[in-house]
Amino acid sequence: MPRASRLLELMQFLRRRRTPVSGQELSKTLGISIRTLYRDIALLQEQGAEIQGEPGLGYVLRPGFTLPPMMFSVEELEAVVLGARWVAARGDSRLRTAAEDVVAKIRAVLPTAMRDQIDEVMLTVPVVEEPLTVDLSALREAIRTERKVTLTYQDEAGAGTRRTVWPLLIGFFDRVMILAAWCELRADFRAFRIDRITRVEPSDARYPGRRHTLVEEWRKRQKKPAPARN
């Protein structure tokens, strides 16, 4: 295994561990001698990695150190590019631009060989041809700031209603996007199809409670076999 790849694998292994891990376990996992492990740890420490510990006691990586983007493996690059393309194909204009910027920033600092991996990535996603009916950035901002919004929403029969909701999550599915929210009209959690929302009116009013608590409660409800109706 090339040394650069080995150093990356060592860092990734230490990131996943929150408690000290022995040198013997590290060397066995990486398939290297204990002496080589000590040299690799010393090199990473010289480059700024806060790896604490010593032989016989174990090692732990303190938060805050990241390797440069050029240390991505080919599979990691493919995952990043595929995810960015998926977002670009399904998100609103701001998300699409952000996804393209992420790939451009990574590409700019990669060596030529790895840049080619991005340009020639073999994975792709289908383009969604149905345009969005509303600006998702308003919903995302309301979710981030835990603020209520009023939706104009159409049911399957085309009847329109106005709902004041507490937006929690946006789910991206293969052919449809869903807004999970607490609906004040129904006094319960509801799932709203994004393509049936015709208007979003942001509010300055914060909804009661914290979003993460509501999300946990919503997730518990999803495990119960109860039909959801709007």
Side-chain angles (χ1 to χ4, degrees):
M1 179 189 297
R3 190 176 197 186
S5 298
R6 190 175 71 241
L7 292 173
L8 175 61
E9 188 172 343
L10 173 57
M11 288 292 297
Q12 296 290 70
F13 186 83
L14 288 172
R15 278 197 188 99
R16 292 192 293 266
R17 296 290 294 265
R18 301 195 177 200
T19 56
V21 55
S22 69
Q24 291 294 337
E25 183 178 351
L26 284 171
S27 63
K28 182 179 179 181
T29 299
L30 297 172
I32 58 177
S33 68
I34 194 72
R35 180 175 297 181
T36 299
L37 173 70
Y38 294 158
R39 286 201 298 264
D40 287 350
I41 288 176
L43 177 58
L44 288 170
Q45 288 172 331
E46 290 174 3
Q47 293 179 351
E50 194 174 350
I51 301 174
Q52 297 182 351
E54 58 185 65
L57 296 178
Y59 298 91
V60 63
L61 176 66
R62 298 302 178 192
F65 178 77
T66 56
L67 290 174
M70 66 211 42
M71 298 301 292
F72 283 138
S73 68
V74 173
E75 287 77 14
E76 288 169 339
L77 282 174
E78 288 180 341
V80 169
V81 175
L82 180 64
R85 287 180 174 177
W86 196 94
V87 170
R90 286 164 172 76
D92 56 87
S93 60
R94 289 191 181 183
L95 272 183
R96 182 164 55 252
T97 299
E100 293 169 351
D101 287 347
V102 166
V103 174
K105 286 178 180 178
I106 292 175
R107 191 183 183 282
V109 296
L110 289 173
T112 302
M114 298 198 81
R115 251 195 331 266
D116 292 341
Q117 292 293 334
I118 284 186
D119 296 337
E120 300 173 8
V121 66
M122 66 189 74
L123 307 175
T124 188
V125 294
V127 176
V128 177
E129 296 182 356
E130 295 183 8
L132 291 172
T133 56
V134 293
D135 183 4
L136 286 186
S137 63
L139 284 175
R140 294 201 311 274
E141 177 65 18
I143 291 172
R144 281 192 292 264
T145 58
E146 300 180 342
R147 297 185 187 279
K148 300 180 183 182
V149 297
T150 299
L151 308 178
T152 301
Y153 189 75
Q154 291 184 333
D155 60 19
E156 291 184 64
T161 60
R162 280 169 56 85
R163 310 283 190 93
T164 297
V165 303
W166 313 346
L168 304 175
L169 297 166
I170 297 176
F172 287 71
F173 296 90
D174 188 33
R175 295 186 177 276
V176 69
M177 284 181 283
I178 297 292
L179 171 68
W182 176 271
C183 177
E184 292 188 351
L185 178 65
R186 302 302 185 192
D188 201 357
F189 293 104
R190 286 291 185 267
F192 299 92
R193 284 181 50 158
I194 298 292
D195 60 342
R196 292 180 183 167
I197 299 174
T198 60
R199 183 180 175 86
V200 176
E201 300 172 52
S203 166
D204 290 332
R206 297 178 66 93
Y207 48 75
R210 296 306 306 272
R211 174 181 167 270
H212 70 85
T213 303
L214 292 166
V215 168
E216 287 301 314
E217 179 61 27
W218 174 79
R219 284 175 173 157
K220 290 178 183 177
R221 299 280 190 93
Q222 302 314 298
K223 297 178 181 179
K224 299 177 182 179
R229 294 184 178 276
N230 290 318

